[in-house]
Amino acid sequence: MARIAGVDLPSKKRIETALTYIFGIGPTSARRIIAKTGVNPDRRVEALTEEETAKLRSVIESDFKVEGALRSETAINIK
């Protein structure tokens, strides 16, 4: 099971779908991330190599605001 941005991705799902389990990443962002990394979108999470997981993690951390940081920003904007 891959862990990206503090979220355990479901191992039986396609990576394109599994990335949407991360708060702040929708279907369009998931496709954009996969295009940047070159990972096959039909690949299952359990079949990802460590290198592919590291690529996904680095692109998400550098280009997207997700999970805790996004939740904090949203809460501040609401207050």
Side-chain angles (χ1 to χ4, degrees):
M1 182 177 293
R3 186 170 181 86
I4 297 175
V7 176
D8 290 326
L9 300 179
S11 59
K12 301 291 182 185
K13 300 265 185 194
R14 293 175 56 229
I15 188 62
E16 186 174 8
T17 304
L19 285 175
T20 62
Y21 281 66
I22 299 171
F23 183 75
I25 298 178
T28 304
S29 298
R31 282 191 287 272
R32 202 173 298 142
I33 292 166
I34 289 170
K36 274 189 176 181
T37 59
V39 176
N40 181 0
D42 293 325
R43 196 134 187 203
R44 303 285 172 173
V45 173
E46 63 190 2
L48 290 175
T49 64
E50 287 298 320
E51 291 175 6
E52 292 170 331
T53 306
K55 284 182 192 177
L56 291 167
R57 190 175 295 120
S58 67
V59 167
I60 290 170
E61 288 174 358
S62 65
D63 297 348
F64 294 89
K65 187 178 288 192
V66 294
E67 285 299 323
L70 182 59
R71 289 181 199 271
S72 298
E73 182 179 314
T74 304
I76 290 170
N77 288 339
I78 291 171
K79 287 180 184 178

